[in-house]
Amino acid sequence: MFIKPFKIKSNILVTGSEKKRLRQRVMAQFNREDEETATSSPLGELFGNRAKVCTVKIITYHEDPVTVYTSDKRPIFFELNGKLLPTVYTLWSCPDLVPAFTTHATVLPKLANGADLMIPGVVKKGTNLASWGRHQKDDVVAVNLTSNRAAVGVGLLAHSSNDLYMCGGHGVCVRMMHVFGDKLWGMEPSVCQQVPLQGSVVSVPTASDFPPLGSEKIDPVEVSVKQVAKTLENTALTDKPEQDSDGDGSDDEQQESEEEEKPPSPDDLIKGAFLNALKLHGKKITLPLLTSTFYPQYVQPEIPEGIEMKKSSYKKVGTFFKQMAEEGLLEIKEEKKGIEKVTSLNLEHPDVLSFYPYKVSKATAEQEVSGPVSSGTASNPLLLTQMTAMYGVNERTAKLFGCFNVALGKTLDQTQVRNYMRDYVGRNKLINPSTKLVTLDETLKETCGTGEELVSLPDLTETVLNCLTSTFEMRSQKGAVTKGGKRAIIHLTTATRSGNKKVTLISNLADYGINVNDFAKAVKLGAAASTTMTEVPGSKGEQLMVQGNHIKFVFDLLTTTYQVPKACITGLEFAKEQKKKKKK
């Protein structure tokens, strides 16, 4: 319903009495009368005393009037045919507000394109009538994924529970009204939120859980014999008389295993950042160099976020450099009291030679996540219009990604996971040079849950991706945008209005996810000209009209701040010719 852009007719702040009536209406419709007086409940916080609730009247792309209620600029409910439907923002704070239907993660992009949820795509716990619940037609329901309990869509039931059971597995189950990533979700770009990870609903077997067709069958008798042999060995070990030397050895082994499972300390992370700087920039560093310059310029950018020198045993930068000098990694010369310089670096040190450098730096990772950011503003100037598959770190993979200081619950895209796996394998020297296969260590075996010793790197990466929690994020579009199989073009033209006044016309900005209102403000401030939105007869969308000929300024703004390819912009030939300066 909100896949395509809609028009906002009015945006009015409601009074206290209207807010109270709206809250009572919500509590009555969703059977939450017991929470009506409780202000600490998640649903009550949406209508709190400090919350600014507004009524927004909109007209959808198909000319349907809809009323949207926002709380602090974030849409929380929308009214359709006299019935209130919650948005995904409301369901993320109140997960049990409406019943939910579960589907596979691969179905979400189809829903985001305007499709309804079909009966074959629903994942149920059972095949009887009770698995469909006790719902009536046109009941408000949510849609979530098997990998994440958080709602990704809201809709109305197409049939009652009895009819769904009698449909024979065919037909529409939920008529989708609102989906994560649509225009209602991005109604206010400053408060957009990605899907939170709220735990998986049901564990669905993937293709990797099944052996390939034609593979060798395992004899169940051999498996049982191996299990019995393992139990006999365990009992034999426990029945042996305890000896002092054996007891001490077992304690030492337990201590070593506990030490291996511990996460890296701040000292190891800071030293690793120092070795990484030597490996990447050691030959390019001009010496001598002040230690006060060397550390912030080369070492500090490689340190993971949240790690500070104060939290380590070094406490100070000077103490850290003295320790590195004692280990033979560098030489320091004190010119004056309190002023030290790095005079030489030992790039042939065993620690430097055996260290595998990081290939993903924080700067590039942040650019991949946030997209192109303008130099003048701290926020992303582009709208979030592209749905990207993401993978969240769960308890099963926390130990593996903890080596890179990736916290539990953080989401990564497929490229980041592939780079992390390549760095992990290279750093621990797990690649066999002759066969080019990866030898799995204990951490990889626990994560993948396999007993194989050698696997290829692509297969290992695919297995780790299946172990991560699948989710989605909305990101800004990069590069050229295709529309209807053809590349979308932003047209820049000039026209003449009454009084022989020149104006600049800009069309198709919305195809590249550009917020037209913010773009108009940037043009108004940069070109010092007034802007208005005009409708073009016979074409979809609106044009931005700027007083005066500002083709060159608009072209530079689109290519630099908004990262639109130059080949996707036409009309630069209409730019105003600059006057040549006269020679004195």
Side-chain angles (χ1 to χ4, degrees):
M1 188 173 194
F2 303 102
I3 303 298
K4 296 185 177 181
F6 52 80
K7 298 179 181 179
I8 298 178
K9 290 297 183 180
S10 63
N11 190 348
I12 303 173
L13 181 67
V14 303
T15 60
S17 58
E18 292 175 344
K19 184 195 300 185
K20 185 178 180 180
R21 286 196 297 268
L22 178 61
R23 178 177 176 176
Q24 292 174 351
R25 182 183 174 188
V26 170
M27 297 297 181
Q29 179 176 331
F30 297 101
N31 298 324
R32 297 296 180 101
E33 288 85 355
D34 53 343
E35 300 180 7
E36 186 172 351
T37 57
T39 58
S40 60
S41 63
L43 194 59
E45 291 178 356
L46 300 176
F47 304 97
N49 295 329
R50 296 184 178 181
K52 295 181 179 179
V53 180
C54 297
T55 302
V56 184
K57 301 286 187 179
I58 65 174
I59 302 296
T60 63
Y61 183 81
H62 297 287
E63 302 296 333
D64 297 327
V66 179
T67 303
V68 180
Y69 299 98
T70 63
S71 178
D72 295 331
K73 298 183 180 181
R74 181 171 292 170
I76 54 175
F77 290 95
F78 61 96
E79 187 175 355
L80 189 65
N81 298 328
K83 182 180 294 186
L84 291 175
L85 282 79
T87 63
V88 290
Y89 295 113
T90 304
L91 294 178
W92 292 342
S93 58
C94 308
D96 301 328
L97 187 63
V98 294
F101 281 70
T102 305
T103 185
H104 302 279
T106 54
V107 179
L108 179 56
K110 306 295 183 183
L111 302 180
N113 288 333
D116 293 328
L117 179 61
M118 309 302 288
I119 294 178
V122 178
V123 179
K124 310 185 303 299
K125 295 182 179 179
T127 57
N128 54 2
L129 178 60
S131 62
W132 290 102
R134 298 180 179 178
H135 310 300
Q136 301 297 325
K137 184 180 178 181
D138 291 335
D139 280 357
V140 181
V141 294
V143 176
N144 56 18
L145 306 178
T146 55
S147 58
N148 192 3
R149 194 179 298 274
V152 295
V154 180
L156 301 175
L157 269 183
H159 307 281
S160 63
S161 298
N162 294 331
D163 293 339
L164 290 173
Y165 176 71
M166 297 300 294
C167 280
H170 301 284
V172 179
C173 179
V174 180
R175 292 184 284 110
M176 302 304 300
M177 298 296 165
H178 164 51
V179 186
F180 164 72
D182 61 7
K183 302 303 179 183
L184 182 61
W185 170 85
M187 184 176 178
E188 179 58 41
S190 60
V191 295
C192 285
Q193 181 184 348
Q194 303 293 348
V195 180
L197 297 178
Q198 296 181 353
S200 60
V201 179
V202 60
S203 58
V204 179
T206 58
S208 61
D209 297 332
F210 298 97
L213 294 176
S215 60
E216 296 181 358
K217 295 183 179 180
I218 301 175
D219 189 2
V221 177
E222 295 180 0
V223 176
S224 60
V225 169
K226 291 181 180 179
Q227 291 178 352
V228 172
K230 287 184 179 180
T231 55
L232 290 175
E233 290 177 1
N234 295 332
T235 54
L237 291 173
T238 54
D239 293 341
K240 284 183 179 180
E242 296 182 358
Q243 298 179 2
D244 295 338
S245 60
D246 295 342
D248 296 339
S250 62
D251 293 341
D252 295 339
E253 291 178 358
Q254 290 179 358
Q255 290 178 359
E256 290 177 0
S257 62
E258 290 177 358
E259 290 178 358
E260 290 178 355
E261 293 180 356
K262 289 182 179 179
S265 62
D267 294 358
D268 297 336
L269 293 174
I270 294 175
K271 184 178 178 181
F274 173 73
L275 295 175
N276 193 36
L278 295 185
K279 200 79 173 181
L280 296 177
H281 314 290
K283 296 181 180 180
K284 303 176 183 178
I285 299 175
T286 56
L287 299 176
L289 187 64
L290 290 172
T291 56
S292 58
T293 306
F294 185 93
Y295 180 79
Q297 187 172 354
Y298 296 102
V299 182
Q300 195 168 7
E302 309 296 335
I303 298 178
E305 295 182 2
I307 304 299
E308 299 178 358
M309 185 65 73
K310 296 179 181 179
K311 299 179 181 179
S312 65
S313 61
Y314 306 115
K315 300 298 181 184
K316 295 182 179 180
V317 177
T319 308
F320 168 73
F321 277 108
K322 289 179 182 179
Q323 180 65 29
M324 296 298 102
E326 292 178 1
E327 295 180 8
L329 291 167
L330 50 80
E331 292 183 4
I332 298 177
K333 181 180 180 181
E334 186 176 4
E335 291 189 349
K336 297 180 182 179
K337 188 176 181 180
I339 300 177
E340 296 177 342
K341 285 187 176 182
V342 179
T343 56
S344 65
L345 301 173
N346 187 6
L347 301 181
E348 302 297 327
H349 194 277
D351 292 347
V352 179
L353 296 176
S354 61
F355 184 80
Y356 189 83
Y358 296 96
K359 291 186 179 181
V360 180
S361 61
K362 289 189 290 184
T364 57
E366 289 175 0
Q367 289 177 2
E368 289 179 358
V369 174
S370 61
V373 179
S374 62
S375 58
T377 59
S379 60
N380 193 349
L382 294 176
L383 296 177
L384 306 178
T385 57
Q386 185 179 16
M387 183 171 289
T388 307
M390 302 294 290
Y391 302 90
V393 179
N394 48 27
E395 296 180 356
R396 183 176 178 179
T397 57
K399 184 178 179 181
L400 174 62
F401 290 94
C403 304
F404 304 97
N405 200 36
V406 179
L408 181 68
K410 186 176 180 180
T411 56
L412 306 169
D413 59 17
Q414 191 172 1
T415 303
Q416 290 174 316
V417 175
R418 189 182 296 111
N419 290 336
Y420 279 135
M421 294 307 303
R422 190 182 295 114
D423 290 343
Y424 182 87
V425 170
R427 186 191 307 177
N428 294 280
K429 298 181 179 180
L430 301 178
I431 296 181
N432 192 335
S434 58
T435 61
K436 302 298 182 181
L437 296 178
V438 179
T439 303
L440 301 185
D441 58 1
E442 294 299 327
T443 303
L444 291 176
K445 287 182 180 179
E446 292 177 6
T447 302
C448 300
T450 179
E452 297 181 2
E453 293 288 339
L454 298 174
V455 295
S456 62
L457 185 58
D459 293 342
L460 176 61
T461 304
E462 188 67 25
T463 305
V464 173
L465 287 173
N466 293 331
C467 297
L468 294 167
T469 301
S470 178
T471 183
F472 290 87
E473 278 189 5
M474 295 299 296
R475 292 185 174 182
S476 57
Q477 178 74 37
K478 293 182 180 180
V481 180
T482 58
K483 187 177 181 182
K486 298 181 180 179
R487 177 181 289 184
I489 302 295
I490 296 179
H491 298 287
L492 307 180
T493 57
T494 57
T496 305
R497 293 294 183 261
S498 60
N500 199 21
K501 293 182 179 179
K502 291 284 186 180
V503 294
T504 303
L505 301 176
I506 311 163
S507 58
N508 299 335
L509 289 174
D511 292 341
Y512 281 84
I514 297 175
N515 192 340
V516 181
N517 293 329
D518 294 342
F519 184 83
K521 291 180 182 178
V523 174
K524 187 182 297 184
L525 294 175
S530 61
T531 59
T532 54
M533 295 298 299
T534 59
E535 294 185 0
V536 182
S539 64
K540 298 180 181 179
E542 295 180 331
Q543 278 186 341
L544 178 64
M545 185 176 66
V546 185
Q547 296 293 333
N549 188 343
H550 300 287
I551 296 285
K552 186 67 171 64
F553 174 81
V554 173
F555 182 84
D556 294 338
L557 183 65
L558 289 172
T559 54
T560 57
T561 304
Y562 291 90
Q563 301 293 319
V564 178
K566 294 181 180 180
C568 300
I569 305 174
T570 62
L572 186 60
E573 63 273 10
F574 299 112
K576 188 177 181 180
E577 296 182 359
Q578 296 181 354
K579 296 181 180 179
K580 296 181 181 180
K581 295 182 180 180
K582 296 181 180 180
K583 295 182 181 180
K584 295 182 179 179

